[in-house]
Amino acid sequence: MMTDNPKSKTRLHPVLVNLGCSFAIGAAAVLAVPVASSLLSPVLQMSGPGQAFAQDSENKERRETRRTPAIRAKVFEVLNEAQVAADEKRYNEAIKILNGLRDKTGRGELNSYELANLYNLYAFVYFTQENYPKALESYENVIKQPDIPIAMELNTKYTIAQLYFVAENYRAGVKTLLEWFKFKEDLQEDPGAGAYALLAQGYYQLNDQDKALRYIEVAINDYEKRGKVPKEQWWGLQRYLYYEKGNTKKVVELLEETLKHYQKKNYWLQLSSLYNELKRENEATAAMEAAYEQGLLEKDKELVNMAYLFLQSEVPYKAAKVLDEGIKKGAIPATSKNLELLGNSWRQAQEVKKAIPEMEKAAAKSDKGELWSRLGSVYLDNDEFAKAADAIESAFKKGGLKRPDSAYLVLGMARFNLEQYDSARRAFKQALKDDRSADYARQWMKFMENELARQEALKDEI
């Protein structure tokens, strides 16, 4: 179930998409879905007078050669002046210099390589100013020029694809990227994992999840074959796509692998949530505990969830320790509900003496009788019969009891132990009115009558 529309997240940075996974204590899993795999940076490519654009040495031998016209000295000087202005953030001056070269010299007098460098510098300035439409237009003018160096055309085309992503024109971005891939294939060059990841994210934005998954796995496999750790956001996209396919087991496998390299709280929470979805409760608790032990759980809800998971796994002592420490440090608010949970945790851990003060504080903060009724039961367990009876009386006065019959049973037992037999008998008779407690009430009444008879018999013997 999606709580956000991932298509609405269209910038080149990771996007958090809330996925409502089943969790015993209501936590939601969060899978990070990136929109682009790498930072976009401007391509500034300019050579000196009489120089062709520098080719990548690794691939130089495999590339076809082009006869690229040289940049004349006077043109290079003006371009260099504009570049210096841009580097010093004098952008308006840089544009003015470029306009002068373009308009004064005349486009007809600039050769194709000079024009390419002119438009490339325009693009650099516009990009730096975050004027992406103008930057895109300028980069497109670069590759329109004939006889420019292959590396310049290749790099510029890749940048154009990225800028289409920034402009949220994913269809054009994917189309341009595929043209770039064909270019690389013709040159017999490896596109690289980053390009495959970017293509995957483009297909994701176009809602073609099968192709998105195919290409993100190519990127990840490429890194793993090289002994490199895949980028965190690549695994995020892969997990999201498998989650959308309903393959929870695969998502769990990917989270387990991710956590070997990227130790983050959200991943532990996601893993715990998904373990619960797969009915692997003990592993769900262990995942959350790993986050807790690393000090990653800071919010009160996270700590309370940790306590609930411990209770679910039948380790109430750990639940009580988490709550006790959290309340003492102020990380968990000392509300009536949280104090009651702490008291119940201590009680389940057979630490009744520790449970009582927490239940007392919880009851004092409550305006309903339910907590007083539970406090009465704790007092009874600790053989504090007078306090038990008083707590139950307070519970009835405040009202709102879910099981008044159970409260009458506790009151009857407390009164019996205080040898207040008439009051005990009245309480047991009230409990008899509810079928859920009737049998137990009869047993107590019978036991009490037998005890009274025994006491009378002892008096007669004396």
Side-chain angles (χ1 to χ4, degrees):
M1 178 181 68
M2 293 290 298
T3 57
D4 277 334
N5 177 7
K7 288 188 170 296
S8 66
K9 313 297 184 182
T10 51
R11 290 297 173 193
L12 294 181
H13 54 71
V15 177
L16 295 182
V17 178
N18 291 322
L19 303 173
C21 299
S22 61
F23 195 13
I25 48 183
V30 181
L31 303 185
V33 182
V35 179
S37 61
S38 59
L39 291 176
L40 176 61
S41 58
V43 178
L44 182 58
Q45 306 166 136
M46 190 174 73
S47 306
Q51 295 178 327
F53 185 81
Q55 309 257 338
D56 178 17
S57 60
E58 182 180 347
N59 300 311
K60 185 174 181 180
E61 294 181 0
R62 288 180 291 178
R63 288 178 174 166
E64 61 180 283
T65 58
R66 286 181 182 173
R67 297 181 64 83
T68 302
I71 299 180
R72 290 166 291 176
K74 63 178 182 179
V75 175
F76 179 80
E77 288 176 4
V78 178
L79 291 173
N80 190 60
E81 182 184 357
Q83 183 178 336
V84 170
D87 290 341
E88 294 176 355
K89 299 182 180 181
R90 294 180 282 117
Y91 302 122
N92 291 337
E93 184 178 341
I95 292 294
K96 185 177 180 180
I97 294 169
L98 292 173
N99 287 342
L101 177 63
R102 181 195 64 191
D103 300 333
K104 195 171 184 180
T105 307
R107 297 186 189 184
E109 295 190 16
L110 294 176
N111 65 43
S112 60
Y113 191 38
E114 291 169 338
L115 278 172
N117 277 278
L118 173 74
Y119 286 122
N120 189 72
L121 200 46
Y122 269 122
F124 175 81
V125 175
Y126 286 133
F127 179 92
T128 308
Q129 292 180 306
E130 298 184 2
N131 187 342
Y132 299 128
K134 282 281 191 181
L136 181 57
E137 179 184 348
S138 299
Y139 279 128
E140 286 177 334
N141 280 327
V142 171
I143 62 174
K144 285 179 182 178
Q145 307 308 314
D147 302 324
I148 62 174
I150 291 174
M152 186 179 200
E153 182 178 352
L154 196 64
N155 292 342
T156 303
K157 205 168 191 68
Y158 191 81
T159 302
I160 289 171
Q162 291 180 298
L163 280 169
Y164 275 129
F165 276 63
V166 174
E168 301 179 15
N169 189 346
Y170 302 109
R171 196 165 300 281
V174 168
K175 180 178 180 294
T176 305
L177 201 54
L178 289 174
E179 292 171 358
W180 180 86
F181 268 93
K182 180 65 168 60
F183 202 163
K184 294 286 279 187
E185 181 183 345
D186 292 342
L187 294 171
Q188 299 180 24
E189 294 180 6
D190 180 12
Y196 282 111
L198 185 61
L199 183 59
Q201 291 147 359
Y203 278 122
Y204 158 73
Q205 290 292 341
L206 295 176
N207 203 30
D208 191 336
Q209 296 188 358
D210 289 336
K211 286 183 180 178
L213 182 58
R214 182 195 314 166
Y215 288 115
I216 198 63
E217 291 194 329
V218 170
I220 290 171
N221 291 338
D222 178 84
Y223 258 43
E224 290 178 336
K225 286 178 183 177
R226 299 169 189 265
K228 299 172 68 176
V229 178
K231 294 186 178 181
E232 186 178 359
Q233 60 265 40
W234 296 357
W235 265 325
L237 179 58
Q238 187 186 28
R239 288 196 310 274
Y240 171 79
L241 293 169
Y242 272 112
Y243 186 87
E244 285 295 287
K245 288 178 175 292
N247 193 340
T248 305
K249 289 184 179 179
K250 183 65 175 179
V251 177
V252 166
E253 290 176 15
L254 294 173
L255 272 172
E256 290 171 340
E257 187 64 27
T258 303
L259 277 162
K260 293 177 183 177
H261 308 283
Y262 301 101
Q263 293 280 326
K264 289 190 175 180
K265 177 175 73 175
N266 280 343
Y267 298 154
W268 287 115
L269 299 183
Q270 291 168 35
L271 187 59
S272 180
S273 176
L274 293 173
Y275 278 144
N276 261 299
E277 190 172 318
L278 296 173
K279 309 301 180 186
R280 293 160 64 176
E281 289 84 0
N282 289 338
E283 289 165 285
T285 303
M288 187 72 87
E289 187 175 9
Y292 176 71
E293 292 297 334
Q294 294 176 64
L296 299 176
L297 304 185
E298 299 171 341
K299 297 179 181 178
D300 60 307
K301 289 183 179 179
E302 295 167 351
L303 294 167
V304 171
N305 284 350
M306 180 75 264
Y308 274 119
L309 277 174
F310 278 136
L311 290 173
Q312 176 183 283
S313 298
E314 299 182 357
V315 279
Y317 185 82
K318 285 188 174 182
K321 292 292 288 183
V322 169
L323 293 165
D324 187 49
E325 183 178 334
I327 290 172
K328 286 178 179 176
K329 289 183 176 180
I332 300 176
T335 63
S336 178
K337 184 177 180 181
N338 290 336
L339 290 167
E340 179 193 4
L341 182 60
L342 174 56
N344 285 333
S345 298
W346 282 129
R347 187 181 182 188
Q348 290 182 44
Q350 306 302 313
E351 297 279 355
V352 178
K353 289 184 178 179
K354 291 183 178 179
I356 288 175
E358 307 305 335
M359 294 296 291
E360 287 173 339
K361 287 184 279 187
K365 289 176 177 283
S366 176
D367 58 355
K368 296 182 180 179
E370 187 65 30
L371 274 179
W372 287 96
S373 178
R374 294 176 191 173
L375 178 59
S377 297
V378 177
Y379 281 137
L380 186 69
D381 290 343
N382 202 44
D383 295 338
E384 296 183 62
F385 304 121
K387 287 185 177 181
D390 290 344
I392 297 298
E393 293 289 1
S394 295
F396 281 120
K397 287 178 182 178
K398 290 181 178 293
L401 298 184
K402 296 178 181 178
R403 291 287 305 273
D405 55 305
S406 295
Y408 277 121
L409 278 175
V410 173
L411 181 58
M413 287 183 276
R415 295 297 189 201
F416 169 80
N417 282 284
L418 291 169
E419 298 182 357
Q420 298 172 1
Y421 301 118
D422 289 339
S423 295
R425 188 178 291 107
R426 287 195 295 270
F428 289 135
K429 284 182 178 180
Q430 289 293 331
L432 277 170
K433 295 178 181 180
D434 191 311
D435 291 340
R436 292 172 293 182
S437 297
D439 289 343
Y440 203 42
R442 287 192 195 95
Q443 291 173 18
W444 262 100
M445 288 182 71
K446 184 177 181 180
F447 175 76
M448 185 173 66
E449 297 305 330
N450 289 339
E451 178 62 19
L452 289 174
R454 185 184 67 80
Q455 291 179 13
E456 286 297 323
L458 286 174
K459 287 180 184 179
D460 292 341
E461 290 179 8
I462 296 173

